[in-house]
Amino acid sequence: MSSAELLRGRLDRARVAAAEAGVGALVIAPGSDLRYLLGGTVVSHERFTGLVLPAEGEPVLVVPKLEAAGYDPYDLPGLGVDTATWVDGEDPYGLVARLVGGPGVVAVGDMLPAVHVLGLRGALPGAEQALAGPVLRGLRMRKDAAEVEQLRWAGAAIDRVHARMGEWLRAGRTEAEVAADIGAAIVAEGHASAEFVIVGSGPNGASPHHEVSDRVITAGDVVVVDIGGPLPSGYCSDSTRTYAVGEPRDADVVESYEVLRRAQAASVASVRPGVSAESVDAAGRGVLADAGLAEFFIHRTGHGIGLDVHEHPYIVAGNELVLEPGMAFSVEPGVYLPGRWGARIEDIVVVTDTGVEPLNTRPHELVVLG
């Protein structure tokens, strides 16, 4: 299937999904939703840009005239997408209103800035506004073969960075110095950027979203390294491994880490079509609970990944969503001992027709460096 055929199929399915949700039109702003539908996106700064996708009728990209050329590489005519431009001093919201037609439900992109949401509300006083995310979510959660291949490539690239951790992670260096080397390696491995680099050493590892600091890494530290970013295609990597700089100084690290390893393996093994998202969370959480470590696992087990690092489905208690082939998400339980140390193991996995395919294949054991 050609790229144009793939994207036209997505546009058609989005129309059907809108109609089934009782939505008359979607208004999608630049960002991952627009990239999913058109194959690319251009930053629109403060001026309104949006794809108007009626449930019935042809899609139209409303774009400032001075930025319209940025969409030339995406062959909008070949996708059946018209372009409507506006210039400073004209009303883009009125233009959208004319394209939408009349009252009904207009679903706006989840990340559309409030200034544009309110502008559209003023131009469409008779319309009910809703979010477009729930309409597009079902499409984006189920990755097609091309998307899975991009995620597979991203996973292999970030694995190659983790394989080099011994070059950078050692006593006497700061977290920030290590992170700078990791970030450069992520780009060198084919990513467009290093979107995030977490290097949490010693007590900083007990804070799941610690990024980096000037703390000097010392012998005996346990270090959480969580890294990832987008490929040029927009599809993302995200993988965490935990390292020790020499033998861990805390006596409980080795035993607790082994429980964490078994918990992560249990959650991955539970993934298959037909099970719920929350059951994957419960599989690993139960292993930690049996060992008395459940209170130290303080976040969900995972998040979906694709054109966003965090997207649906979320692997968390209370999410009864039934997993289907093509769904891709992280499996990343952790153990966090406040003020002492932390550990996390994260793989991206894809649901297959019969089970699960992990996209990260680096060893899961605690890696002792030095």
Side-chain angles (χ1 to χ4, degrees):
M1 180 183 294
S2 70
S3 175
E5 289 173 326
L6 185 149
L7 293 172
R8 284 196 296 267
R10 291 178 183 176
L11 288 165
D12 289 341
R13 289 192 296 276
R15 273 198 208 90
V16 171
E20 290 176 346
V23 170
L26 302 171
V27 180
I28 308 299
S32 58
D33 283 340
L34 193 65
R35 189 164 196 166
Y36 176 78
L37 294 170
L38 298 185
T41 186
V42 173
V43 176
S44 63
H45 305 288
E46 75 275 12
R47 295 175 175 88
F48 175 84
T49 296
L51 175 68
V52 180
L53 182 60
E56 297 182 8
E58 297 306 310
V60 179
L61 181 70
V62 176
V63 60
K65 192 167 187 177
L66 81 167
E67 295 171 359
Y71 286 88
D72 287 348
Y74 305 120
D75 186 23
L76 298 181
L79 301 181
V81 177
D82 290 331
T83 302
T85 61
W86 62 280
V87 298
D88 291 346
E90 296 179 344
D91 176 17
Y93 312 116
L95 174 54
V96 172
R98 291 192 292 276
L99 292 171
V100 168
V105 179
V106 177
V108 299
D110 291 13
M111 299 303 163
L112 186 67
V115 64
H116 298 320
V117 173
L118 296 178
L120 290 171
R121 182 172 297 173
L124 290 160
E128 175 187 345
Q129 281 189 339
L131 290 174
V135 177
L136 296 176
R137 186 177 302 158
L139 306 182
R140 289 188 54 185
M141 278 196 299
R142 298 165 179 84
K143 270 54 181 186
D144 58 38
E147 291 179 290
V148 171
E149 184 56 32
Q150 285 296 304
L151 291 172
R152 195 178 283 126
W153 199 100
I158 210 68
D159 278 358
R160 292 192 293 271
V161 177
H162 272 295
R164 297 178 58 193
M165 208 56 59
E167 298 177 29
W168 313 305
L169 183 55
R170 58 183 178 270
R173 304 195 76 203
T174 67
E175 294 174 350
E177 289 170 337
V178 173
D181 288 334
I182 294 171
I186 290 172
V187 174
E189 284 292 352
H191 288 73
S193 65
E195 185 165 327
F196 56 94
V197 177
I198 293 174
V199 180
S201 63
N204 289 340
S207 175
H209 278 176
H210 173 80
E211 293 183 358
V212 298
S213 72
D214 291 328
R215 183 182 185 275
V216 176
I217 297 165
T218 61
D221 277 350
V222 175
V223 186
V224 177
V225 178
D226 184 349
I227 55 177
L231 301 179
S233 65
Y235 287 88
C236 297
S237 65
D238 185 5
S239 181
T240 308
R241 290 295 185 267
T242 301
Y243 302 88
V245 181
E247 291 303 318
R249 75 172 64 88
D250 293 280
D252 58 344
V253 169
V254 172
E255 182 178 353
S256 297
Y257 185 88
E258 176 57 20
V259 174
L260 176 63
R261 188 195 63 77
R262 289 193 288 109
Q264 200 265 352
S267 279
V268 171
S270 74
V271 175
R272 60 184 181 277
V275 305
S276 67
E278 66 178 356
S279 72
V280 177
D281 178 271
R285 202 173 295 273
V287 174
L288 292 170
D290 289 344
L293 294 173
E295 66 179 294
F296 303 113
F297 179 20
I298 56 176
H299 55 74
R300 65 196 174 209
T301 289
H303 57 80
I305 191 167
L307 289 170
D308 290 313
V309 174
H310 287 189
E311 60 184 49
H312 290 270
Y314 291 100
I315 310 305
V316 64
N319 186 1
E320 298 178 354
L321 177 75
V322 174
L323 300 183
E324 299 179 22
M327 291 184 175
F329 48 85
S330 68
V331 178
E332 51 178 307
V335 171
Y336 309 98
L337 286 297
R340 297 180 57 218
W341 60 274
R344 182 165 63 254
I345 305 169
E346 176 185 17
D347 293 324
I348 301 302
V349 304
V350 177
V351 183
T352 67
D353 289 338
T354 58
V356 60
E357 177 189 355
L359 302 187
N360 299 107
T361 58
R362 291 295 301 160
H364 296 88
E365 290 73 23
L366 181 66
V367 177
V368 178
L369 302 173

